[in-house]
Amino acid sequence: MPTRKTVDDWNKRYSAEPYAYGKEPNGFFKEFIDSHEAGKLLLPAEGEGRNALYAAKKGWDVVAFDFSEEGRKKAMKITREAGVKIRYDISDLSQFHYTEGSFDAVGLFFVHMPSPMREAVHQAVVNCLKPGGYLVLEAFNKRQVKKANGGPNDTTYLFSMEDLQSDFLEMEILVLEELVQDYETGIFHRGESETIRLLARKAI
C-alpha cells in the first residue's frame, strides 16, 4: 500500500548523526548556481540544507523552509560552521507564504507531492518568481516506482514530462529531460535512479 512520510518520519530520519542525503549540493543545482549571477533564492522542502549551504557560499541570499525541525537544526549547523547565513523557516509546502515577484530563482529537489497539491505549489512558485527568474527542479520520474533506492512508492507522487510541461506552461522551458543515472547521495539515494530535470525561465 502506498505510504507518505509524516513530519515525525522526517524528523526521525534527520535526527540521526549522518546527513541523510549528504552535504554536497544536487549536481543540476550546482551547475545552475555556478553559471548564474547571485540573487535571492527560495528552497522549499530543503531538509538538511545541502543546497542552501552551497548557494549561500556562492553569495546568494537564501530563504529555505521545511516542516522538519530536525532538518532545520542540521541546516543551520552546517551553514554556521561554514560562516554563511541563511533564513530557514518551518512550514508545510502548502502553507508557506510565497510572496509574489520576490525571488530570482527557486530550487525544487526531490519535492514529491500528490497531484492536486503539486499543481497548487508549482503555481505558487511561478508567482513568487521575479520576471526573468529561474526554476531549477530535479525529482524522480514515474519509472522510479519500480526501484527500491529512493522516492515514493506511489506513482501519483512522481513526475512525468507532461506534468511539468503542464504545470509550467507559462514559463520558457530551457531544459526538460529524463535521465537514468547512478546516485551516491547520502545513505538514502544510492544506485541507478530514474530522474527528471527541468530548468525554466519566467517571462520578462
Side-chain angles (χ1 to χ4, degrees):
M1 175 179 290
T3 58
R4 183 187 181 196
K5 285 187 172 62
T6 66
V7 176
D8 288 342
D9 292 331
W10 285 110
N11 277 329
K12 182 178 180 181
R13 176 168 291 189
Y14 291 150
S15 65
E17 180 60 31
Y19 277 67
Y21 302 103
K23 297 180 181 179
E24 296 300 315
N26 171 272
F28 190 46
F29 177 68
K30 182 179 183 297
E31 291 175 11
F32 172 80
I33 292 295
D34 289 349
S35 59
H36 289 79
E37 184 178 348
K40 189 171 184 180
L41 169 70
L42 177 66
L43 291 169
E46 173 56 5
E48 298 164 304
R50 63 193 183 106
N51 295 312
L53 170 65
Y54 189 78
K57 288 168 71 173
K58 292 289 185 174
W60 286 75
D61 177 8
V62 179
V63 177
F65 72 88
D66 199 289
F67 61 9
S68 170
E69 291 276 2
E70 294 298 329
R72 182 184 187 278
K73 287 178 186 177
K74 290 171 85 172
M76 299 310 290
K77 180 176 184 289
I78 56 172
T79 51
R80 184 172 59 250
E81 289 173 348
V84 296
K85 293 184 178 181
I86 64 170
R87 173 184 148 191
Y88 195 121
D89 296 341
I90 296 296
S91 178
D92 185 85
L93 283 161
S94 60
Q95 296 173 344
F96 184 77
H97 182 58
Y98 298 87
T99 308
E100 185 173 352
S102 296
F103 294 95
D104 298 290
V106 177
L108 292 171
F109 300 100
F110 301 95
V111 182
H112 295 276
M113 302 163 276
S115 298
M117 181 180 176
R118 188 202 77 231
E119 293 167 6
V121 169
H122 284 177
Q123 186 58 58
V125 163
V126 173
N127 292 341
C128 81
L129 282 167
K130 297 177 182 178
Y134 292 91
L135 169 70
V136 195
L137 179 154
E138 184 166 12
F140 290 119
N141 72 39
K142 292 186 184 296
R143 289 188 296 276
Q144 178 68 17
V145 76
K146 299 178 181 178
K147 300 179 182 292
N149 61 331
N153 57 0
D154 180 347
T155 56
T156 65
Y157 284 70
L158 300 171
F159 289 79
S160 70
M161 305 274 272
E162 292 76 18
D163 289 338
L164 294 178
Q165 288 171 330
S166 175
D167 289 356
F168 300 106
L169 190 62
E170 63 199 90
M171 298 184 71
E172 177 188 4
I173 293 179
L174 306 173
V175 176
L176 179 58
E177 59 184 0
E178 292 181 322
L179 300 95
V180 179
Q181 55 186 326
D182 284 325
Y183 254 89
E184 298 294 334
T185 307
I187 58 177
F188 289 101
H189 286 176
R190 303 181 72 86
E192 186 179 270
S193 301
E194 303 260 4
T195 68
I196 190 165
R197 288 177 170 180
L198 171 71
L199 176 64
R201 188 168 184 253
K202 189 173 181 177
I204 296 175

